[in-house]
Amino acid sequence: VLLWALATLAVAEEPPAMMRLAIPRFCGAAVGPPGETALSVVSLNCGGGSLEAAAEALACDADVVLLQEAPGQQELGETLAGRRGLSLVAGPDCAIIVRGTQRPVAVSPDRAPYLAASLVRPDQAPRTELLVVSVHLLQPVLRWDFWSPSTWREASEVNALRVAQMDSVATLVATHPKAPAVLVGGDFNTPGGDALYTALQPRLHDAFRQAGAGWPNTIVNEAPMSRIDQLWLSETLRATSLRVHRTQNSDHRMIVAEVA
């Protein structure tokens, strides 16, 4: 039991995250240098297109809202109709809502089911343009019959698709080198620290490791045991705060972050 406890403290993400909550000064500077712009960001998997879950994310009044398993474009458009200053880019699964303006980035049909991207100009000064990507990767194989060869064949095939999806996200980021800032977030269906995230490095870094505090896991909402919802930033962006909040209308918890 002692060895298990020591191993947990050494490698698990949860203990240091809880320590950062108890000692806020280890959670990144809340106040940045003069002229630094603060940007609030929310990311949520809406749990099968729940409009109520999307409304929870919008209630945070963030500058950038990333949705996965989002309601349809028409539903979201009607919801935003009475909210001035918000713009929407929506795909078959993912959506981006911004306080400001945005231009959709062309995404090939084979990528559309798992990501949406846009060039965003937030409605604040300085009006720096940034590339924003909302991601929802394929879920890995979850089977208990690990003794069956078919389980390993299926897992291998699905893993190859997931690697290809992450590589396409990395390619999308790389094809916009002139964007002064890049923000990629969403439901990666992959826990923190997995080798799959190496495709995003070194250009992007995990915002949670920079400023996350409190219980970090996002799935499932009632008893979250895995951090599959994440936010990744380019070196021109710095997370100053990142928390995970319980939701009422989704099986995922919601990421709420402040980015400089």
Side-chain angles (χ1 to χ4, degrees), residues 102-172:
Q102 58 179 329
R103 308 192 315 274
V105 171
V107 175
S108 59
D110 60 321
R111 296 181 187 178
Y114 61 90
L115 64 86
S118 68
L119 288 167
V120 169
R121 196 173 289 273
D123 190 15
Q124 56 186 348
R127 293 167 63 83
T128 302
E129 192 170 66
L130 63 150
L131 174 66
V132 174
V133 185
S134 181
V135 178
H136 185 200
L137 298 190
L138 185 67
Q139 181 175 287
V141 172
L142 302 174
R143 289 175 55 174
W144 291 101
D145 56 337
F146 51 85
W147 55 85
S148 170
S150 65
T151 299
W152 295 97
R153 283 194 298 270
E154 183 183 356
S156 179
E157 292 169 0
V158 170
N159 188 62
L161 290 173
R162 284 161 41 80
V163 169
Q165 287 181 333
M166 187 66 97
D167 285 343
S168 69
V169 174
T171 300
L172 178 64

Side-chain angles (χ1 to χ4, degrees), residues 13-171:
E13 293 184 319
E14 291 83 357
M18 297 302 289
M19 289 176 63
R20 288 197 294 269
L21 183 64
I23 311 173
R25 67 189 182 89
F26 288 120
C27 192
V31 179
E36 193 173 62
T37 303
L39 195 71
S40 54
V41 181
V42 165
S43 180
L44 177 64
N45 181 308
C46 294
S50 168
L51 193 59
E52 292 77 11
E56 282 190 71
L58 290 170
C60 294
D61 199 29
D63 298 305
V64 178
V65 177
L66 308 177
L67 301 178
Q68 306 83 45
E69 294 189 30
Q73 185 171 5
Q74 182 176 348
E75 288 181 290
L76 283 174
E78 292 172 354
T79 301
L80 298 178
R83 300 170 183 253
R84 298 185 61 183
L86 296 181
S87 59
L88 168 68
V89 166
D93 183 281
C94 299
I96 302 170
I97 300 168
V98 173
R99 180 183 288 108
T101 60
Q102 58 179 329
R103 308 192 315 274
V105 171
V107 175
S108 59
D110 60 321
R111 296 181 187 178
Y114 61 90
L115 64 86
S118 68
L119 288 167
V120 169
R121 196 173 289 273
D123 190 15
Q124 56 186 348
R127 293 167 63 83
T128 302
E129 192 170 66
L130 63 150
L131 174 66
V132 174
V133 185
S134 181
V135 178
H136 185 200
L137 298 190
L138 185 67
Q139 181 175 287
V141 172
L142 302 174
R143 289 175 55 174
W144 291 101
D145 56 337
F146 51 85
W147 55 85
S148 170
S150 65
T151 299
W152 295 97
R153 283 194 298 270
E154 183 183 356
S156 179
E157 292 169 0
V158 170
N159 188 62
L161 290 173
R162 284 161 41 80
V163 169
Q165 287 181 333
M166 187 66 97
D167 285 343
S168 69
V169 174
T171 300

